Protein backbone atom coordinates (compact mmCIF):
# COMPACT_ATOMS: atom_id res chain seq x y z
CA UNK A 1 0.00 0.00 0.00
CA UNK A 2 1.38 3.39 -1.01
CA UNK A 3 1.21 5.68 1.98
CA UNK A 4 2.49 8.74 0.12
CA UNK A 5 -0.14 11.38 -0.55
CA UNK A 6 0.59 12.61 -4.07
CA UNK A 7 -1.08 15.99 -3.39
CA UNK A 8 1.03 16.48 -0.27
CA UNK A 9 4.12 15.47 -2.24
CA UNK A 10 3.49 18.24 -4.81
CA UNK A 11 2.19 20.72 -2.23
CA UNK A 12 -1.05 21.29 -4.11
CA UNK A 13 -4.64 21.23 -2.86
CA UNK A 14 -6.86 18.33 -3.76
CA UNK A 15 -8.85 20.52 -6.09
CA UNK A 16 -5.78 21.85 -7.90
CA UNK A 17 -6.16 22.60 -11.61
CA UNK A 18 -4.04 20.86 -14.24
CA UNK A 19 -1.96 24.04 -14.59
CA UNK A 20 -1.37 24.29 -10.86
CA UNK A 21 -0.14 20.69 -10.79
CA UNK A 22 2.17 21.25 -13.75
CA UNK A 23 3.61 24.43 -12.25
CA UNK A 24 4.07 22.75 -8.89
CA UNK A 25 5.96 19.88 -10.49
CA UNK A 26 8.15 22.21 -12.55
CA UNK A 27 9.04 24.30 -9.50
CA UNK A 28 9.78 21.21 -7.39
CA UNK A 29 11.73 19.47 -10.15
CA UNK A 30 13.95 22.54 -10.45
CA UNK A 31 14.49 22.55 -6.71
CA UNK A 32 15.10 18.81 -6.24
CA UNK A 33 16.65 17.72 -9.53
CA UNK A 34 19.43 15.11 -9.01
CA UNK A 35 21.76 17.07 -11.33
CA UNK A 36 21.59 19.97 -8.91
CA UNK A 37 21.95 17.74 -5.85
CA UNK A 38 24.49 15.03 -6.67
CA UNK A 39 25.31 12.60 -3.83
CA UNK A 40 22.31 13.81 -1.83
CA UNK A 41 20.25 10.63 -1.35
CA UNK A 42 17.23 12.15 0.53
CA UNK A 43 16.87 14.81 -2.18
CA UNK A 44 17.07 12.19 -4.91
CA UNK A 45 14.38 10.15 -3.15
CA UNK A 46 12.24 13.28 -2.91
CA UNK A 47 12.70 13.81 -6.65
CA UNK A 48 11.54 10.25 -7.34
CA UNK A 49 8.45 10.79 -5.16
CA UNK A 50 7.44 14.05 -6.87
CA UNK A 51 7.97 12.45 -10.30
CA UNK A 52 5.72 9.55 -9.31
CA UNK A 53 3.09 11.95 -7.94
CA UNK A 54 3.19 14.02 -11.14
CA UNK A 55 2.93 10.93 -13.32
CA UNK A 56 -0.43 10.15 -11.69
CA UNK A 57 -1.89 13.61 -11.05
CA UNK A 58 -1.05 14.95 -14.54
CA UNK A 59 -3.00 12.15 -16.22
CA UNK A 60 -6.77 12.85 -15.86
CA UNK A 61 -7.69 9.16 -15.96
CA UNK A 62 -5.05 8.11 -13.43
CA UNK A 63 -5.86 11.09 -11.23
CA UNK A 64 -9.55 10.23 -11.17
CA UNK A 65 -8.71 6.68 -10.16
CA UNK A 66 -6.25 7.90 -7.52
CA UNK A 67 -8.88 10.27 -6.07
CA UNK A 68 -11.26 7.35 -5.77
CA UNK A 69 -8.78 4.84 -4.31
CA UNK A 70 -6.39 7.12 -2.40
CA UNK A 71 -3.66 5.06 -0.77
CA UNK A 72 -5.07 1.91 -2.40
CA UNK A 73 -4.01 3.18 -5.81
CA UNK A 74 -1.38 1.11 -7.59
CA UNK A 75 0.78 2.72 -10.29
CA UNK A 76 0.33 -0.38 -12.45
CA UNK A 77 -3.46 -0.07 -12.02
CA UNK A 78 -3.58 -3.41 -10.19
CA UNK A 79 -6.70 -3.76 -8.02
CA UNK A 80 -6.22 -3.36 -4.24
CA UNK A 81 -5.56 -6.56 -2.30
CA UNK A 82 -7.86 -7.82 0.49
CA UNK A 83 -5.22 -6.88 3.10
CA UNK A 84 -5.03 -3.33 1.80
CA UNK A 85 -8.81 -2.98 1.81
CA UNK A 86 -9.00 -4.19 5.43
CA UNK A 87 -6.29 -1.76 6.51
CA UNK A 88 -7.98 1.03 4.62
CA UNK A 89 -11.31 0.42 6.34
CA UNK A 90 -9.78 0.64 9.81
CA UNK A 91 -7.78 3.75 8.88
CA UNK A 92 -10.80 5.44 7.34
CA UNK A 93 -12.93 4.79 10.38
CA UNK A 94 -10.09 6.05 12.60
CA UNK A 95 -9.53 9.23 10.61
CA UNK A 96 -13.02 9.92 9.31
CA UNK A 97 -13.73 12.94 11.41
CA UNK A 98 -10.34 14.52 11.01
CA UNK A 99 -11.17 16.93 8.24
CA UNK A 100 -8.32 19.40 8.71
CA UNK A 101 -6.07 20.20 5.76
CA UNK A 102 -3.48 17.48 5.53
CA UNK A 103 -0.30 18.78 4.07
CA UNK A 104 -0.17 21.87 6.25
CA UNK A 105 0.07 19.83 9.45
CA UNK A 106 3.44 19.04 11.00
CA UNK A 107 4.04 15.31 10.75
CA UNK A 108 6.29 13.22 12.99
CA UNK A 109 9.85 12.25 12.14
CA UNK A 110 10.71 8.67 13.05
CA UNK A 111 14.27 7.45 13.33
CA UNK A 112 16.49 5.05 15.28
CA UNK A 113 18.68 6.11 18.18
CA UNK A 114 21.72 3.83 18.40
CA UNK A 115 23.22 3.63 21.89
CA UNK A 116 26.36 1.93 23.17
CA UNK A 117 25.94 0.16 26.53
CA UNK A 118 27.59 2.94 28.64
CA UNK A 119 25.11 5.42 27.13
CA UNK A 120 22.23 3.49 28.76
CA UNK A 121 23.47 5.06 32.02
CA UNK A 122 22.13 8.35 30.62
CA UNK A 123 23.83 10.64 28.14
CA UNK A 124 23.57 13.58 25.77
CA UNK A 125 23.42 12.45 22.18
CA UNK A 126 23.53 14.41 18.94
CA UNK A 127 20.92 13.27 16.42
CA UNK A 128 20.85 14.60 12.85
CA UNK A 129 17.49 14.50 11.08
CA UNK A 130 16.05 15.93 7.90
CA UNK A 131 13.38 18.33 9.20
CA UNK A 132 10.78 20.18 7.21
CA UNK A 133 11.08 23.79 8.40
CA UNK A 134 9.09 26.84 7.32
CA UNK A 135 10.62 28.25 4.16
CA UNK A 136 12.07 31.71 4.89
CA UNK A 137 11.58 33.58 1.57
CA UNK A 138 7.83 32.76 1.39
CA UNK A 139 7.16 32.40 5.16
CA UNK A 140 5.51 29.07 4.47
CA UNK A 141 2.93 30.35 1.96
CA UNK A 142 4.63 28.72 -1.03
CA UNK A 143 4.07 31.85 -3.13
CA UNK A 144 6.91 33.76 -4.79
CA UNK A 145 5.66 37.18 -3.65
CA UNK A 146 2.57 38.25 -1.75
CA UNK A 147 1.11 39.32 -5.11
CA UNK A 148 1.25 35.67 -6.16
CA UNK A 149 -1.32 34.78 -3.49
CA UNK A 150 -4.64 34.94 -5.28
CA UNK A 151 -7.77 34.77 -3.09
CA UNK A 152 -9.53 31.44 -3.66
CA UNK A 153 -12.76 31.93 -5.64
CA UNK A 154 -14.28 28.69 -4.42
CA UNK A 155 -14.36 29.72 -0.77
CA UNK A 156 -14.00 33.51 -1.11
CA UNK A 157 -10.69 33.32 0.71
CA UNK A 158 -12.21 31.75 3.82
CA UNK A 159 -10.56 28.35 3.42
CA UNK A 160 -13.76 26.56 4.36
CA UNK A 161 -16.34 24.92 2.16
CA UNK A 162 -19.33 26.76 3.59
CA UNK A 163 -20.46 28.63 6.67
CA UNK A 164 -22.08 25.50 8.06
CA UNK A 165 -19.47 22.85 7.38
CA UNK A 166 -16.04 23.02 8.86
CA UNK A 167 -14.35 20.87 6.22
CA UNK A 168 -11.60 22.73 4.37
CA UNK A 169 -11.95 24.03 0.87
CA UNK A 170 -10.46 21.48 -1.53
CA UNK A 171 -9.54 24.08 -4.12
CA UNK A 172 -7.06 25.78 -1.79
CA UNK A 173 -6.64 23.07 0.87
CA UNK A 174 -7.96 25.43 3.54
CA UNK A 175 -5.42 28.17 2.90
CA UNK A 176 -7.89 30.65 1.44
CA UNK A 177 -5.61 31.47 -1.48
CA UNK A 178 -4.19 29.87 -4.58
CA UNK A 179 -0.66 30.39 -5.79
CA UNK A 180 0.22 32.08 -9.06
CA UNK A 181 4.02 31.95 -9.11
CA UNK A 182 5.65 29.48 -6.74
CA UNK A 183 8.52 30.22 -4.38
CA UNK A 184 11.79 29.06 -5.97
CA UNK A 185 13.37 28.09 -2.66
CA UNK A 186 10.78 25.50 -1.59
CA UNK A 187 9.08 24.89 -4.94
CA UNK A 188 5.77 26.04 -3.43
CA UNK A 189 5.57 23.48 -0.64
CA UNK A 190 6.11 26.17 2.01
CA UNK A 191 8.47 23.87 3.86
CA UNK A 192 12.06 23.04 3.20
CA UNK A 193 13.84 19.92 4.32
CA UNK A 194 16.97 20.81 6.12
CA UNK A 195 19.52 18.75 8.00
CA UNK A 196 19.14 19.61 11.68
CA UNK A 197 21.28 18.37 14.56
CA UNK A 198 19.58 18.17 17.94
CA UNK A 199 21.17 17.31 21.26
CA UNK A 200 18.97 14.73 22.94
CA UNK A 201 19.07 14.14 26.67
CA UNK A 202 18.79 10.37 26.94
CA UNK A 203 17.56 9.42 30.43
CA UNK A 204 19.26 6.55 32.27
CA UNK A 205 17.66 3.11 31.97
CA UNK A 206 16.11 3.32 28.51
CA UNK A 207 15.03 -0.05 27.15
CA UNK A 208 15.67 -1.72 23.83
CA UNK A 209 12.84 -0.74 21.43
CA UNK A 210 11.59 2.09 23.67
CA UNK A 211 10.38 5.17 21.81
CA UNK A 212 11.57 8.56 23.01
CA UNK A 213 9.23 11.37 21.96
CA UNK A 214 10.72 14.85 21.55
CA UNK A 215 7.72 17.14 21.31
CA UNK A 216 7.57 19.67 18.53
CA UNK A 217 10.80 18.55 16.88
CA UNK A 218 9.14 16.87 13.90
CA UNK A 219 8.20 18.64 10.68
CA UNK A 220 6.96 22.20 11.03
CA UNK A 221 3.26 22.95 10.71
CA UNK A 222 2.23 25.44 8.05
CA UNK A 223 -1.09 26.20 9.69
CA UNK A 224 -2.21 26.75 13.25
CA UNK A 225 -1.60 23.11 14.22
CA UNK A 226 1.36 22.00 16.33
CA UNK A 227 4.63 20.89 14.81
CA UNK A 228 5.11 17.13 14.56
CA UNK A 229 7.21 15.24 17.09
CA UNK A 230 10.54 13.48 16.77
CA UNK A 231 10.14 9.80 17.62
CA UNK A 232 13.37 7.97 18.41
CA UNK A 233 13.36 4.18 18.70
CA UNK A 234 16.14 3.05 21.05
CA UNK A 235 18.51 0.42 19.66
CA UNK A 236 21.16 -0.70 22.14
CA UNK A 237 24.31 -2.10 20.52
CA UNK A 238 25.44 -5.50 21.77
CA UNK A 239 28.54 -5.43 23.98
CA UNK A 240 31.16 -8.05 23.01
CA UNK A 241 31.40 -9.38 26.59
CA UNK A 242 28.47 -8.10 28.62
CA UNK A 243 24.89 -9.32 28.36
CA UNK A 244 21.91 -7.22 29.49
CA UNK A 245 19.08 -8.86 31.42
CA UNK A 246 16.80 -6.09 32.64
CA UNK A 247 18.77 -3.94 35.06
CA UNK A 248 21.37 -6.66 35.63
CA UNK A 249 24.41 -7.34 33.47
CA UNK A 250 26.13 -10.72 33.13
CA UNK A 251 29.63 -11.72 32.09
CA UNK A 252 31.42 -15.06 31.86
CA UNK A 253 35.15 -14.93 32.54
CA UNK A 254 37.60 -17.67 31.57
CA UNK A 255 39.92 -18.19 34.56
CA UNK A 256 43.01 -20.41 34.18
CA UNK A 257 43.02 -23.50 36.38
CA UNK A 258 46.13 -22.39 38.25
CA UNK A 259 44.56 -18.92 38.84
CA UNK A 260 41.41 -20.58 40.16
CA UNK A 261 43.49 -22.71 42.58
CA UNK A 262 46.00 -20.10 43.67
CA UNK A 263 43.85 -16.95 43.38
CA UNK A 264 44.61 -13.92 41.22
CA UNK A 265 43.64 -10.36 40.25
CA UNK A 266 41.74 -10.03 36.97
CA UNK A 267 40.70 -7.09 34.81
CA UNK A 268 37.03 -7.47 33.90
CA UNK A 269 34.65 -5.44 31.73
CA UNK A 270 32.05 -3.18 33.33
CA UNK A 271 29.29 -1.01 31.88
CA UNK A 272 31.60 2.03 32.16
CA UNK A 273 34.85 0.37 31.03
CA UNK A 274 36.93 -2.02 33.13
CA UNK A 275 37.76 -2.72 36.75
CA UNK A 276 39.95 -5.18 38.63
CA UNK A 277 38.53 -7.89 40.86
CA UNK A 278 40.23 -10.35 43.17
CA UNK A 279 39.60 -14.04 42.46
CA UNK A 280 40.21 -15.78 45.81
CA UNK A 281 42.23 -19.02 46.04
CA UNK A 282 40.30 -22.27 45.49
CA UNK A 283 37.58 -20.69 43.35
CA UNK A 284 35.42 -23.32 41.67
CA UNK A 285 34.20 -23.22 38.08
CA UNK A 286 30.80 -21.50 37.54
CA UNK A 287 31.18 -19.63 40.84
CA UNK A 288 29.35 -16.28 40.70
CA UNK A 289 30.64 -12.95 41.93
CA UNK A 290 28.28 -10.04 42.23
CA UNK A 291 29.28 -6.39 41.94
CA UNK A 292 26.35 -4.59 43.57
CA UNK A 293 25.15 -1.43 41.85
CA UNK A 294 27.33 -1.89 38.77
CA UNK A 295 24.48 -2.86 36.42
CA UNK A 296 22.12 -0.56 34.50
CA UNK A 297 19.82 2.05 36.03
CA UNK A 298 16.10 1.63 36.58
CA UNK A 299 14.24 4.17 34.43
CA UNK A 300 11.94 5.12 37.34
CA UNK A 301 14.31 5.64 40.24
CA UNK A 302 17.75 5.40 38.58
CA UNK A 303 18.80 2.68 41.08
CA UNK A 304 21.33 0.50 39.36
CA UNK A 305 21.16 -3.29 39.07
CA UNK A 306 24.15 -5.59 39.60
CA UNK A 307 27.02 -6.91 37.52
CA UNK A 308 27.25 -10.70 37.79
CA UNK A 309 30.58 -12.33 36.99
CA UNK A 310 30.62 -16.06 36.37
CA UNK A 311 33.98 -17.81 36.57
CA UNK A 312 34.55 -20.50 33.96
CA UNK A 313 37.73 -22.46 34.80
CA UNK A 314 39.68 -23.16 31.63
CA UNK A 315 41.84 -26.29 31.53
CA UNK A 316 44.76 -26.56 29.12
CA UNK A 317 43.63 -28.07 25.81
CA UNK A 318 46.83 -30.18 25.57
CA UNK A 319 50.01 -30.88 27.58
CA UNK A 320 53.59 -31.55 26.56
CA UNK A 321 55.05 -34.89 27.84
CA UNK A 322 57.07 -32.95 30.39
CA UNK A 323 53.99 -31.05 31.67
CA UNK A 324 52.07 -34.33 31.81
CA UNK A 325 54.80 -35.84 33.98
CA UNK A 326 54.70 -32.85 36.32
CA UNK A 327 50.92 -33.09 36.52
CA UNK A 328 51.05 -36.76 37.50
CA UNK A 329 53.53 -35.98 40.28
CA UNK A 330 51.23 -33.21 41.52
CA UNK A 331 48.10 -35.39 41.46
CA UNK A 332 49.88 -38.27 43.24
CA UNK A 333 50.48 -35.98 46.16
CA UNK A 334 46.86 -34.76 46.43
CA UNK A 335 44.85 -36.11 49.36
CA UNK A 336 41.20 -37.21 48.86
CA UNK A 337 40.14 -34.64 51.49
CA UNK A 338 41.40 -31.86 49.20
CA UNK A 339 38.66 -32.72 46.68
CA UNK A 340 35.70 -33.34 49.03
CA UNK A 341 33.00 -33.48 46.35
CA UNK A 342 34.74 -36.31 44.51
CA UNK A 343 35.35 -38.16 47.80
CA UNK A 344 31.64 -37.81 48.68
CA UNK A 345 30.60 -39.01 45.22
CA UNK A 346 32.76 -42.13 45.45
CA UNK A 347 31.48 -42.91 48.96
CA UNK A 348 27.87 -42.80 47.73
CA UNK A 349 28.44 -45.05 44.70
CA UNK A 350 26.71 -48.41 45.19
CA UNK A 351 29.21 -51.24 45.58
CA UNK A 352 29.18 -53.49 42.54
ZN1 LIG B 1 -10.63 27.82 -1.16
ZN1 LIG C 1 9.17 29.00 -0.03
Amino acid sequence: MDSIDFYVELGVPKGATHDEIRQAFKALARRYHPDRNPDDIPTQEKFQRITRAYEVLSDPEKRQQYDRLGPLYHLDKAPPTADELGKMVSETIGGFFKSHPRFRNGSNIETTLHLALPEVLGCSKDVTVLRGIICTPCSGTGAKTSADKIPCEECNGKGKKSRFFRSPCTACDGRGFRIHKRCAKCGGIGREERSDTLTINVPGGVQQGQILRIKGKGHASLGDKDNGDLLLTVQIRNHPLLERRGRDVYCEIPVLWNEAILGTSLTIPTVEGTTTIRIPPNTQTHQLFRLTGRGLPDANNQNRGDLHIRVIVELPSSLTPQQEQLMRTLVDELLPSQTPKRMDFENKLPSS
Side-chain angles (χ1 to χ4, degrees), residues 152 154-155 159 169 171-172 176:
C152 174
E154 293 287 321
C155 61
C169 169
C172 63

XYZ file of all heavy atoms in Angstrom, residues 152 154-155 159 169 171-172 176, ligand 1:
47
model
N -8.844 32.607 -3.079
C -9.533 31.443 -3.662
C -10.987 31.808 -3.973
O -11.700 32.324 -3.113
C -9.465 30.268 -2.696
S -10.422 28.851 -3.233
N -13.350 29.737 -4.885
C -14.276 28.695 -4.419
C -14.829 29.012 -3.029
O -15.986 28.781 -2.740
C -13.569 27.336 -4.363
C -13.181 26.785 -5.705
C -14.378 26.277 -6.491
O -15.279 25.681 -5.866
O -14.408 26.496 -7.714
N -13.942 29.514 -2.162
C -14.363 29.721 -0.767
C -14.318 31.197 -0.385
O -14.412 31.533 0.794
C -13.471 28.909 0.163
S -11.735 29.372 0.065
N -11.223 29.619 3.162
C -10.557 28.346 3.423
C -11.506 27.228 3.789
O -11.101 26.082 3.907
N -11.725 23.871 2.299
C -11.954 24.035 0.871
C -10.932 23.193 0.113
O -9.734 23.278 0.380
C -11.799 25.515 0.511
S -11.744 25.819 -1.245
N -10.223 23.343 -3.061
C -9.540 24.082 -4.123
C -8.261 24.742 -3.618
O -7.303 24.919 -4.366
C -10.476 25.130 -4.707
N -8.242 25.090 -2.337
C -7.061 25.776 -1.791
C -6.486 25.040 -0.586
O -5.548 25.502 0.036
C -7.396 27.219 -1.414
S -8.644 27.320 -0.107
N -7.165 29.425 1.777
C -7.893 30.648 1.439
C -7.326 31.350 0.221
O -7.887 32.322 -0.260
Zn -10.634 27.817 -1.155
